[in-house]
Amino acid sequence: MNRNRRAVVAVIRKDLKVVTQNRMVWLPMIMVPAIMQVFLPLVLTLLPTFVGPEEFEIDDIRSLMSAMPASLTASLQGLSGQELWIILSVNYMFAPMFLIVPLMVSSILGADSFVGEKERKTLEGLLYTPITDAELFIAKLLTALLPALIISTASFLVYGIVVNASGYHIVGHLFFPTAMWWPLVFWVGPGVSVAGLGVTVLISSKAKTFMQAQQLSGTLVLPIVAMMIGQMSGLFFLSSTLVIIVGLFVWLLGIWLIWIGAKTFSRGELMSRI
């Protein structure tokens, strides 16, 4: 058992080392969070400064406010259009987009998990590692999951610093995060990573190239885009309760997908496609 655990850890260490040496893998994991958690929120919070207060009327964001609970809308009473824009866009309209970060990181690493080994001509040696198929599958999952959790947590911290610093001169106090963000980041975010990995690693084990696996995995972002559109249009509101419920569904889906992957993963099938 200890020998198998050491072999699993060795696979994870080897894969993480390879990731740091592959620009095609690690560069998107830096650029996308930088755009999502620095550039875009900076534009959102600085926009009122350059546009002017007369352009930010409450009517412009009434659709979002109509989906909010009465307790929250009451707490927003008396705020200027500029303050409402910053608080609502940063805390609520932008929230679903945060989930793209853990999904993107885990999908990139998951896509590289097996098809990357094929392209580097190292898959055959990996398949002779003295661990079971399930342990090899789990090692590949952990290789992608650990960086996804670290990068998404770091992105959350950077996002909080950027929006609070850039919007403080208008709002006058720290306004991020709200209570909803804690389950979003530490409950739904990891669940999204797990669910994305369940799909992506299966794709990687069957795809012929890393680019093919990555392109197929890119479709996983569509539900998040739909969630963002629904939130911005006022169709629904991401409260803490709804976020917890969504997270439970995502976790159950992710665990089921990983269970399916672990049960169907076969070294023999991979060997036949080397």
PDB file of all heavy atoms in Angstrom, residues 22 41 119 130 161 177 256 265:
ATOM      1  N   ASN A  22       6.250  23.212 -19.842  1.00  0.00           N
ATOM      2  CA  ASN A  22       5.467  23.252 -21.074  1.00  0.00           C
ATOM      3  C   ASN A  22       4.711  24.578 -21.151  1.00  0.00           C
ATOM      4  O   ASN A  22       3.705  24.773 -20.472  1.00  0.00           O
ATOM      5  CB  ASN A  22       4.491  22.073 -21.117  1.00  0.00           C
ATOM      6  CG  ASN A  22       3.825  21.936 -22.480  1.00  0.00           C
ATOM      7  OD1 ASN A  22       3.777  22.881 -23.267  1.00  0.00           O
ATOM      8  ND2 ASN A  22       3.299  20.757 -22.752  1.00  0.00           N
ATOM      9  N   PRO A  41     -12.182  43.134 -13.995  1.00  0.00           N
ATOM     10  CA  PRO A  41     -12.737  43.820 -12.823  1.00  0.00           C
ATOM     11  C   PRO A  41     -12.203  45.230 -12.639  1.00  0.00           C
ATOM     12  O   PRO A  41     -12.905  46.108 -12.133  1.00  0.00           O
ATOM     13  CB  PRO A  41     -12.341  42.910 -11.654  1.00  0.00           C
ATOM     14  CG  PRO A  41     -11.239  42.063 -12.158  1.00  0.00           C
ATOM     15  CD  PRO A  41     -11.496  41.887 -13.621  1.00  0.00           C
ATOM     16  N   GLU A 119       1.919  12.540 -26.873  1.00  0.00           N
ATOM     17  CA  GLU A 119       2.698  13.433 -27.729  1.00  0.00           C
ATOM     18  C   GLU A 119       4.165  13.479 -27.322  1.00  0.00           C
ATOM     19  O   GLU A 119       5.044  13.675 -28.165  1.00  0.00           O
ATOM     20  CB  GLU A 119       2.086  14.833 -27.701  1.00  0.00           C
ATOM     21  CG  GLU A 119       0.712  14.910 -28.346  1.00  0.00           C
ATOM     22  CD  GLU A 119       0.158  16.325 -28.371  1.00  0.00           C
ATOM     23  OE1 GLU A 119       0.611  17.153 -27.563  1.00  0.00           O
ATOM     24  OE2 GLU A 119      -0.721  16.601 -29.207  1.00  0.00           O
ATOM     25  N   PRO A 130       4.091   0.615 -11.473  1.00  0.00           N
ATOM     26  CA  PRO A 130       3.509  -0.458 -10.639  1.00  0.00           C
ATOM     27  C   PRO A 130       2.358   0.022  -9.748  1.00  0.00           C
ATOM     28  O   PRO A 130       2.424  -0.054  -8.526  1.00  0.00           O
ATOM     29  CB  PRO A 130       4.710  -0.923  -9.806  1.00  0.00           C
ATOM     30  CG  PRO A 130       5.564   0.297  -9.683  1.00  0.00           C
ATOM     31  CD  PRO A 130       5.427   1.010 -11.011  1.00  0.00           C
ATOM     32  N   ILE A 161      -8.441  42.203  -3.778  1.00  0.00           N
ATOM     33  CA  ILE A 161      -7.541  43.354  -3.622  1.00  0.00           C
ATOM     34  C   ILE A 161      -7.769  44.375  -4.734  1.00  0.00           C
ATOM     35  O   ILE A 161      -7.864  45.579  -4.487  1.00  0.00           O
ATOM     36  CB  ILE A 161      -6.076  42.885  -3.606  1.00  0.00           C
ATOM     37  CG1 ILE A 161      -5.802  42.050  -2.349  1.00  0.00           C
ATOM     38  CG2 ILE A 161      -5.125  44.079  -3.668  1.00  0.00           C
ATOM     39  CD1 ILE A 161      -4.443  41.373  -2.351  1.00  0.00           C
ATOM     40  N   PRO A 177     -15.448  40.646  -0.155  1.00  0.00           N
ATOM     41  CA  PRO A 177     -16.529  39.851  -0.747  1.00  0.00           C
ATOM     42  C   PRO A 177     -17.812  39.913   0.078  1.00  0.00           C
ATOM     43  O   PRO A 177     -17.772  40.228   1.271  1.00  0.00           O
ATOM     44  CB  PRO A 177     -15.951  38.434  -0.719  1.00  0.00           C
ATOM     45  CG  PRO A 177     -15.122  38.414   0.543  1.00  0.00           C
ATOM     46  CD  PRO A 177     -14.540  39.802   0.656  1.00  0.00           C
ATOM     47  N   TRP A 256     -19.737  11.402  -9.709  1.00  0.00           N
ATOM     48  CA  TRP A 256     -20.262  10.365 -10.599  1.00  0.00           C
ATOM     49  C   TRP A 256     -19.388  10.219 -11.847  1.00  0.00           C
ATOM     50  O   TRP A 256     -19.070   9.098 -12.272  1.00  0.00           O
ATOM     51  CB  TRP A 256     -21.696  10.711 -10.996  1.00  0.00           C
ATOM     52  CG  TRP A 256     -22.302   9.730 -11.959  1.00  0.00           C
ATOM     53  CD1 TRP A 256     -22.702   8.451 -11.702  1.00  0.00           C
ATOM     54  CD2 TRP A 256     -22.553   9.956 -13.358  1.00  0.00           C
ATOM     55  NE1 TRP A 256     -23.191   7.865 -12.844  1.00  0.00           N
ATOM     56  CE2 TRP A 256     -23.115   8.758 -13.870  1.00  0.00           C
ATOM     57  CE3 TRP A 256     -22.372  11.047 -14.205  1.00  0.00           C
ATOM     58  CZ2 TRP A 256     -23.488   8.641 -15.207  1.00  0.00           C
ATOM     59  CZ3 TRP A 256     -22.737  10.925 -15.542  1.00  0.00           C
ATOM     60  CH2 TRP A 256     -23.293   9.737 -16.023  1.00  0.00           C
ATOM     61  N   PHE A 265     -11.572   3.331 -17.203  1.00  0.00           N
ATOM     62  CA  PHE A 265     -10.198   3.556 -17.641  1.00  0.00           C
ATOM     63  C   PHE A 265      -9.447   2.233 -17.739  1.00  0.00           C
ATOM     64  O   PHE A 265      -9.482   1.405 -16.836  1.00  0.00           O
ATOM     65  CB  PHE A 265      -9.483   4.486 -16.659  1.00  0.00           C
ATOM     66  CG  PHE A 265      -8.011   4.625 -16.937  1.00  0.00           C
ATOM     67  CD1 PHE A 265      -7.560   5.304 -18.052  1.00  0.00           C
ATOM     68  CD2 PHE A 265      -7.071   4.052 -16.074  1.00  0.00           C
ATOM     69  CE1 PHE A 265      -6.209   5.433 -18.316  1.00  0.00           C
ATOM     70  CE2 PHE A 265      -5.714   4.179 -16.329  1.00  0.00           C
ATOM     71  CZ  PHE A 265      -5.295   4.865 -17.447  1.00  0.00           C
TER      72      PHE A 265
END
